[in-house]
Amino acid sequence: METRSTFSTATRTLSASSLRERLTSISTLTTAPLRPLPRIHANIDFVPAKIPRRRRLQTLAVAIWSTMIAITTFLFLVLASFPPLWPVLAWYMLWVLYVDHSPEKGGRISPWFRSIKFWKYFSDYYPASFLKTCDLPADRPYVFGYHPHGIIGMGAMCTFATEGFSEAFPGIVPHLLTLTSNFRVPFYRDVLLAMGVCSVSRQSCSNILNGGPGQSITIVVGGAAESLSAHPGTADLTLRKRLGFIKVAIQHGADLVPVFSFGENDIYEQMPNEKGTTVYTLQKKFQNVFGFTLPLFHGRGLLNYNLGLLPYRRRIVAVIGRPIPVEKCEKPTLDEVRRVQERYIEELMWIWHTYKDQFARTRRRELNIVE
């Protein structure tokens, strides 16, 4: 009994001594303050709590427009969940598919809708503006070529789909053109039509320009192929192979006006996709199958500055160049089309060299026409 007691006492003494040594060693350690878990894993730059109401409204306007297709589709599905509305919705869809040809015939532009305050908040978010280099008389039709395409073309919306353009160029009716497929989305198509947006089909271009003096169309020339080159600080244009819009201008005797949008490529970050990479190859195959492509990009979010699908707050300035007069010819030759294209490119380069040091100070390289 005595031996067992002695062993037990020694064990307790040894344990207490070991515990004191460990506590002493722990007390000498230095610890760094803990950081919030999201910052450790994603380094997210969250929006401060105190932000001016005006800036919040600007962000909200951009968020609404960026998700407008999803919003209008969801609204249509919600309405379709009420059986009493089925006859109305069925009539609407029949009207959209078989009766209403507004996207091909100049749309139904609404000056009131184009001038509501929502679009001012939308434009002031970046901010987006345009610079006119000369007056454009309203005694002839016009074809505006917009460059670069960017990821989505937000600057084109701000410039040609709001009443700011109509105030700067009185008498000229702007029609920004987009894919015909956009007009198959319920309700979204009606928003586009109210903004003066129409189909980019050849028939649509002809119908608008045949409307007489003052009618104009704006074509984002580079299309889906150019969106893959939309990286901040660069301006790689897909233009040499784009002859269709020049031919349309010649056939209708419409003056060509180049527009270069400084900052359009800066509002999103895109995954590296140089030619030869796997990402580029997959994107081109997708484009060949579906007719459009999906750039892998990111921007900011509603509550943070560096993670999400909203565009960054970076200035966009669309410089509207000087008009290039063309002689009307219903069947222009390829040589004539190329001659006009060279004049168009010269004017576009003039815009770049004149304003690049003012609006593109952070450029990584000069304007480049890649194809």
Side-chain angles (χ1 to χ4, degrees):
M1 293 293 293
E2 183 178 355
T3 303
R4 188 179 302 171
S5 176
T6 302
F7 176 78
S8 177
T9 302
T11 303
R12 286 196 300 269
T13 302
L14 195 61
S15 299
S17 175
S18 176
L19 180 61
R20 283 195 299 272
E21 291 178 359
R22 292 180 180 179
L23 289 175
T24 301
S25 64
I26 290 175
S27 65
T28 61
L29 296 176
T30 58
T31 58
L34 295 177
R35 293 182 297 166
L37 188 60
R39 288 184 178 272
I40 293 175
H41 292 287
N43 193 28
I44 299 177
D45 186 10
F46 286 101
V47 174
K50 294 184 178 180
I51 293 292
R53 180 174 177 270
R54 173 179 53 83
R55 289 176 65 86
R56 291 190 182 278
L57 291 174
Q58 292 169 358
T59 304
L60 180 61
V62 173
I64 290 174
W65 178 251
S66 299
T67 57
M68 183 60 71
I69 292 180
I71 292 173
T72 52
T73 302
F74 177 76
L75 176 61
F76 181 82
L77 294 176
V78 169
L79 295 177
S81 65
F82 295 93
L85 296 178
W86 288 356
V88 177
L89 296 178
W91 177 87
Y92 171 78
M93 291 306 300
L94 290 174
W95 178 72
V96 166
L97 296 175
Y98 302 106
V99 179
D100 184 26
H101 301 293
S102 297
E104 301 286 334
K105 296 185 176 180
R108 43 175 180 269
I109 189 170
S110 170
W112 170 83
F113 186 77
R114 287 163 53 95
S115 61
I116 59 177
K117 204 165 186 179
F118 176 88
W119 301 116
K120 178 172 176 54
Y121 286 127
F122 179 81
S123 299
D124 290 346
Y125 169 85
Y126 303 96
S129 60
F130 64 86
L131 175 66
K132 56 183 291 188
T133 58
C134 65
D135 292 327
L136 299 178
D139 59 352
R140 68 202 71 176
Y142 291 93
V143 174
F144 293 89
Y146 185 90
H147 314 268
H149 181 282
I151 298 294
I152 299 178
M154 294 294 194
M157 294 293 302
C158 297
T159 303
F160 294 98
T162 67
E163 280 302 283
F165 179 89
S166 300
E167 294 172 0
F169 299 98
I172 298 179
V173 183
H175 297 91
L176 179 63
L177 305 186
T178 187
L179 295 175
T180 304
S181 58
N182 287 326
F183 296 96
R184 299 192 183 103
V185 182
F187 304 149
Y188 179 65
R189 69 186 306 276
D190 301 291
V191 175
L192 293 178
L193 291 171
M195 298 171 68
V197 181
C198 295
S199 169
V200 75
S201 69
R202 185 176 295 274
Q203 186 61 48
S204 174
C205 295
S206 296
N207 289 336
I208 294 172
L209 295 177
N210 286 334
Q215 295 295 320
S216 71
I217 59 175
T218 301
I219 300 175
V220 185
V221 178
E226 193 173 276
S227 66
L228 299 181
S229 303
H231 296 277
T234 67
D236 298 332
L237 305 185
T238 301
L239 181 55
R240 292 286 181 188
K241 297 180 180 180
R242 308 294 186 180
L243 300 175
F245 76 105
I246 294 177
K247 185 177 181 180
V248 166
I250 296 175
Q251 289 174 333
H252 295 85
D255 285 6
L256 275 164
V257 184
V259 180
F260 190 88
S261 183
F262 293 90
E264 184 68 67
N265 283 349
D266 298 337
I267 60 176
Y268 283 107
E269 298 283 348
Q270 187 173 180
M271 178 182 291
N273 60 340
E274 290 76 14
K275 288 186 178 180
T277 62
T278 302
V279 173
Y280 181 84
T281 302
L282 293 176
Q283 288 175 326
K284 294 300 291 184
K285 287 183 178 179
F286 188 94
Q287 179 186 348
N288 293 335
V289 173
F290 296 99
F292 64 95
T293 188
L294 293 175
L296 301 177
F297 64 93
H298 76 86
R300 55 159 292 182
L302 276 174
L303 302 178
N304 71 83
Y305 292 125
N306 61 347
L307 184 63
L309 296 179
L310 294 185
Y312 292 111
R313 283 181 179 267
R314 294 171 181 169
R315 183 176 63 165
I316 301 174
V317 181
V319 179
I320 301 175
R322 299 170 297 193
I324 301 170
V326 298
E327 294 184 6
K328 185 176 181 179
C329 178
E330 294 184 0
K331 295 181 179 181
T333 64
L334 180 60
D335 290 339
E336 175 62 22
V337 173
R338 291 199 178 278
R339 281 197 296 270
V340 175
Q341 184 193 51
E342 288 302 321
R343 293 165 56 195
Y344 180 90
I345 292 176
E346 289 176 4
E347 181 64 24
L348 188 65
M349 297 301 293
W350 175 85
I351 296 174
W352 170 260
H353 290 300
T354 303
Y355 295 99
K356 64 181 181 180
D357 292 332
Q358 183 178 355
F359 301 129
R361 295 177 181 176
T362 60
R363 63 187 181 277
R364 300 176 185 174
R365 55 178 181 264
E366 295 297 309
L367 171 64
N368 181 31
I369 299 177
V370 293
E371 59 182 16

